[in-house]
Amino acid sequence: MLEIPKIALPGGETVPILGQGTWGMGEDARRAGQEADALRHGLDLGINLIDTAEMYADGRAEQITGEAIKGRREEVFLVSKVLPGNASRAGTIAACERSLKHLGTDRIDLYLLHWRGPHPLAETLAGFEELQQAGKIRHWGVSNFDMEDCRELDSLAPGISPGKAATNQVLFNLMRRGIEYDLLPWSRERGMPVMAYSPIEQGRLLKYPALGKVAERYGATPAQVALSWLLRQPGVIAIPKAARAAHIEENLAALDIRLDRDDLALLDRTFPPPASARPLEML
């Protein structure tokens, strides 16, 4: 079993830099058993961070996650999210209760606001604080927050225990590098990891010959190269989805790839880093 490097959250707790995503799971009941088995296989291999959300397949991804972690809850660092439309103070609490029921657990380790919506951010944070005090969530964070959102969060969070968001989950991969200009450095300065979703752009990255060229050097797949590039970034957690055991193993093996300067230069020419601030991208 590969040793998965870990990263510290603002409160000091460490989590693996490679997790398991569930976006897209639960959409076909015929695949539910296979998807739960894949998550279990990831746990067997030490990938104990699982990310899900109430939005994913209207809660069915949470249910599949709950089935996968049954009898293994103590092994898992569990992440879920509240939809913006539910993120009033009372709505956040009610949404968390529903997610806990879907997941078959009494607590969520990290609970995120999925993106900005109609409710004032202060209301959502008040809901998070109440859930923390009740022991129903251990950490809170955000998702799809741009720099303006993060500055607003910074102005509000000091009044919220423990005073810091644990993460900002955003779209980040070789095709979507805008956060490198401002959001990623800002997050690193505050000791707040970024959680990168869609690390291979839902497969669209794989058509680029540069990835195939680098992959050939290492006897790897283009997807592994794209994931390796992301995993080498300081302050980043990647959460690729894998619905099959073989895919889980492929993701894990990306940790063994050590991209050199020539590889990185080729990837930079193909996918240039940002030269100025860009609007935050979302999928």
Side-chain angles (χ1 to χ4, degrees):
M1 185 185 299
L2 287 171
E3 184 72 23
I4 302 176
K6 294 192 172 182
I7 189 170
L9 301 177
E13 184 171 354
T14 59
V15 297
I17 64 170
L18 176 64
Q20 303 188 72
T22 63
W23 187 14
M25 291 188 182
E27 295 177 358
D28 185 339
R30 295 169 297 181
R31 295 198 300 264
Q34 175 185 296
E35 289 166 347
D37 284 343
L39 292 172
R40 291 188 196 99
H41 189 59
L43 292 178
D44 292 341
L45 296 175
I47 312 175
N48 67 352
L49 187 155
I50 300 178
D51 174 84
T52 189
E54 67 167 336
M55 183 188 81
Y56 300 162
D58 293 325
R60 292 189 295 277
E62 288 183 323
Q63 291 170 342
I64 288 169
T65 300
E67 185 62 31
I69 68 174
K70 193 176 293 182
R72 308 182 67 168
R73 178 65 184 91
E74 300 305 318
E75 299 175 42
V76 182
F77 188 89
L78 191 56
V79 185
S80 194
K81 308 177 197 73
V82 56
L83 277 165
N86 294 333
S88 65
R89 179 172 183 159
T92 296
I93 294 165
C96 183
E97 295 283 7
R98 289 192 298 272
S99 290
L100 290 170
K101 185 175 180 180
H102 289 156
L103 293 161
T105 186
D106 62 350
R107 70 200 183 280
I108 294 170
D109 296 299
L110 175 57
Y111 198 42
L112 311 179
L113 172 60
H114 212 148
W115 65 88
R116 293 303 301 272
H119 300 288
L121 184 55
E123 283 193 28
T124 309
L125 298 186
F128 286 163
E129 183 176 32
E130 188 170 334
L131 288 166
Q132 266 189 322
Q133 291 173 349
K136 294 179 179 180
I137 66 173
R138 297 179 53 242
H139 307 277
W140 61 269
V142 296
S143 181
N144 296 303
F145 268 41
D146 62 17
M147 279 306 311
E148 182 179 350
D149 295 328
C150 286
R151 291 188 185 102
E152 182 182 353
L153 180 67
D154 232 11
S155 72
L156 295 170
I160 303 295
S161 177
K164 281 188 178 180
T167 193
N168 183 11
Q169 186 177 123
V170 294
L171 179 62
F172 182 35
N173 59 47
L174 277 164
M175 287 177 66
R176 313 279 192 162
R177 298 183 63 175
I179 70 166
E180 292 179 53
Y181 186 80
D182 48 11
L183 186 59
L184 185 56
W186 184 93
S187 301
R188 285 171 177 158
E189 286 173 6
R190 284 154 180 77
M192 182 180 76
V194 161
M195 194 174 287
Y197 71 83
S198 295
I200 60 168
E201 187 71 12
Q202 299 179 336
R204 288 182 288 272
L205 260 171
L206 307 183
K207 67 182 181 182
Y208 287 86
L211 280 173
K213 183 175 181 180
V214 175
E216 189 175 353
R217 290 187 56 199
Y218 295 95
T221 66
Q224 285 175 314
V225 171
L227 189 54
S228 174
W229 177 86
L230 198 56
L231 291 169
R232 66 178 292 281
Q233 302 280 347
V236 173
I237 301 163
I239 49 168
K241 186 197 85 168
R244 294 176 292 104
H247 195 179
I248 291 276
E249 293 170 9
E250 179 183 351
N251 289 343
L252 188 61
L255 288 163
D256 265 349
I257 299 172
R258 298 288 182 267
L259 301 175
D260 64 22
R261 289 183 180 181
D262 290 341
D263 301 324
L264 296 173
L266 174 59
L267 294 175
D268 279 348
R269 289 194 297 273
T270 307
F271 309 99
S276 60
R278 298 178 185 172
L280 185 70
E281 297 178 284
M282 293 174 58
L283 286 178

